[in-house]
Amino acid sequence: MMSNRVTELFGVDHPIVQGGMQWVGRAELVSAVANAGALGMITALTQPTPADLRTEIARCRDMTDKPFGVNLTVLPSIRPMPHREYAETIVDCGIKIVETAGSSPEPFMDLFNEAGVKVIHKCTSVRHAAKAQQVGVAAVSVDGFECAGHPGEDDVPNLVLIPAAREALNIPIIASGGIGNGRGLAAALMLGAEGVNMGTRFMCTVEAPIHDNVKKAMVESTELQTDLILRTLRNTARVAKNSVSQSVVRILQEGGQFEDVRELVAGARGRTVYETGDVEAGIWTAGLVVGLIHDIPTTSELVTRMVAEAEQMIARAAAMVTVAA
C-alpha cells in the first residue's frame, strides 16, 4: 500500500482515481474501483436528472461500502443543465468527495464547504490550478496534453506540467493524462504528484459499462490513433480517431464553424458507440494512453498490478542511486 496525502484525504488504499467519464462513470465501474481500494467517481451528468443521480448513488452504495465520489462537470452544452440542482443532490445524498471540472468550482464552494465535501478540481494549466487552490479545493487533478477529453489550449505535457504545478501549489496534485500502468504511477509520483487519475484505462476493464467492441478497439489501438478536434474553435478535445473525427477535423480546417459539425460531435452519437459497439457511429473520447493498453482486466486486477509495478519501478530507481560518502 502507498500512503500519502491523497490516500489519507479520501480514505482509500491506493492513490489512484477513476475520473468522471460521460456515459461510462456508472455504478458498476465506480463500485468496482472503490472495492479495489481506489477512488471511483460517478459522472453526475450521465444521469438525465438530479433525481436519477440520486438513484445511481444509492445503486452504487448497494455495491460497495468503500468511499466514492461524484464528478460534476460545468461546461456550455447544447441543452442547458441545472448544475446547482445536481450539486445540491450530491450534498443531500451525503457524498463527501466531489470532482469538479470545466468552469471554476467557486460558485459551488459555499455549498460543498458547508456540507464538509472535499473537492478535487480538474485543471489543464498551472494558473487554473492556482486559482482552484485559492478558492479552497482539497486537491487538484492536473490534466496534461496527453489526456482524453479536453486538454485545454496550452499543449503542455505532464513531464513539464506536473513539476510546474508542484512548484506553484501546496495542496495535493493528482496527475491525469497518459497514465495506464505502474510505470506511469511511479513517474507521476516522481514528478511531484501524489496520485493519478485515469479515464481511458478504466474504460478498458471488465466492469466498464461499454460494449466489448469498444474495449477491443482500444486494445488494438496505438498511441497514434487519437484526434484533436475543435482546435480552431479553441475548444480542443482529444478523441479516438475514426471516420467521424476525421470529418470534423477536415470541415473545421476548411473554414467550417461549429454549426457545420454540431451533429457530428453530438454526445448522443458517442453514447451510441458505447451501447452498440459501432466505433464509427460517433465521437468517443480516448487518450494517448490507448497505445499502452494491451488487455481487458478486471478493475481489481488492474489496480493491484499497477501498484505492484509502481513499487518495483520506484525500488529499481532507488537501487540505481549511489550516495557519495
Side-chain angles (χ1 to χ4, degrees):
M1 270 174 45
M2 296 179 176
S3 179
N4 61 23
R5 289 191 294 175
V6 165
T7 59
E8 292 167 5
L9 261 175
F10 305 116
V12 294
D13 296 331
H14 310 300
I16 299 173
V17 180
Q18 166 253 310
M21 294 177 281
Q22 186 73 342
W23 314 124
V24 182
R26 300 175 186 270
E28 292 84 359
L29 176 59
V30 175
S31 61
V33 172
N35 288 331
L39 180 58
M41 293 283 178
I42 291 175
T43 306
L45 300 189
T46 291
Q47 303 305 314
T49 68
D52 291 306
L53 174 59
R54 186 183 298 274
T55 300
E56 190 72 1
I57 290 171
R59 202 163 71 88
C60 193
R61 283 186 170 138
D62 286 340
M63 300 179 191
T64 185
D65 59 0
K66 301 288 184 68
F68 65 90
V70 175
N71 165 278
L72 180 64
T73 297
V74 181
L75 286 170
S77 59
I78 295 173
R79 179 172 68 91
M81 302 297 291
H83 295 108
R84 187 77 184 187
E85 290 181 36
Y86 278 96
E88 290 169 351
T89 298
I90 291 168
V91 169
D92 288 345
C93 289
I95 293 293
K96 295 301 181 183
I97 305 167
V98 168
E99 178 189 65
T100 55
S103 301
S104 170
E106 187 169 10
F108 304 96
M109 291 303 296
D110 58 340
L111 175 66
F112 291 144
N113 285 336
E114 186 176 342
V117 175
K118 297 169 184 173
V119 177
I120 306 169
H121 185 59
K122 292 189 75 172
C123 318
T124 60
S125 69
V126 175
R127 63 187 180 279
H128 293 146
K131 174 63 175 178
Q133 175 176 273
Q134 181 183 336
V135 303
V137 303
V140 288
S141 178
V142 178
D143 284 22
F145 185 56
E146 306 93 333
C147 73
H150 295 277
E153 307 301 322
D154 294 342
D155 299 358
V156 181
N158 272 330
L159 195 62
V160 172
L161 187 59
I162 298 302
R166 182 69 287 153
E167 291 178 3
L169 305 174
N170 54 46
I171 59 175
I173 296 168
I174 299 167
S176 180
I179 299 161
N181 55 32
R183 289 179 183 273
L185 172 56
L189 297 176
M190 294 302 98
L191 291 170
E194 293 178 59
V196 297
N197 181 306
M198 302 193 304
T200 302
R201 189 59 186 95
F202 276 123
M203 286 173 63
C204 206
T205 57
V206 170
E207 295 90 350
I210 60 178
H211 199 284
D212 281 347
N213 286 356
V214 179
K215 300 177 188 180
K216 291 173 184 175
M218 295 170 72
V219 170
E220 295 167 1
S221 293
T222 74
E223 68 277 8
L224 301 178
Q225 289 174 280
T226 70
D227 267 328
L228 292 169
I229 63 170
L230 309 181
R231 296 231 82 185
T232 60
L233 306 179
R234 295 192 62 78
N235 187 27
T236 301
R238 187 180 297 280
V239 301
K241 181 177 288 187
N242 64 10
S243 59
V244 183
S245 69
Q246 290 281 279
S247 293
V248 172
V249 170
R250 175 184 53 79
I251 291 168
L252 294 179
Q253 284 179 340
E254 293 174 354
Q257 299 300 313
F258 180 71
E259 289 301 320
D260 301 311
V261 298
R262 176 194 291 265
E263 296 305 318
L264 293 176
V265 301
R269 292 186 61 163
R271 185 176 185 177
T272 298
V273 171
Y274 297 142
E275 292 178 349
T276 67
D278 179 359
V279 296
E280 298 293 328
I283 294 293
W284 54 284
T285 57
L288 291 179
V289 76
V290 291
L292 300 178
I293 295 175
H294 309 302
D295 63 353
I296 308 171
T298 66
T299 300
S300 179
E301 289 168 343
L302 174 62
V303 170
T304 300
R305 183 172 74 196
M306 279 188 63
V307 172
E309 184 183 15
E311 291 172 343
Q312 291 171 2
M313 292 299 105
I314 292 168
R316 182 180 301 176
M320 295 178 186
V321 178
T322 301
V323 179

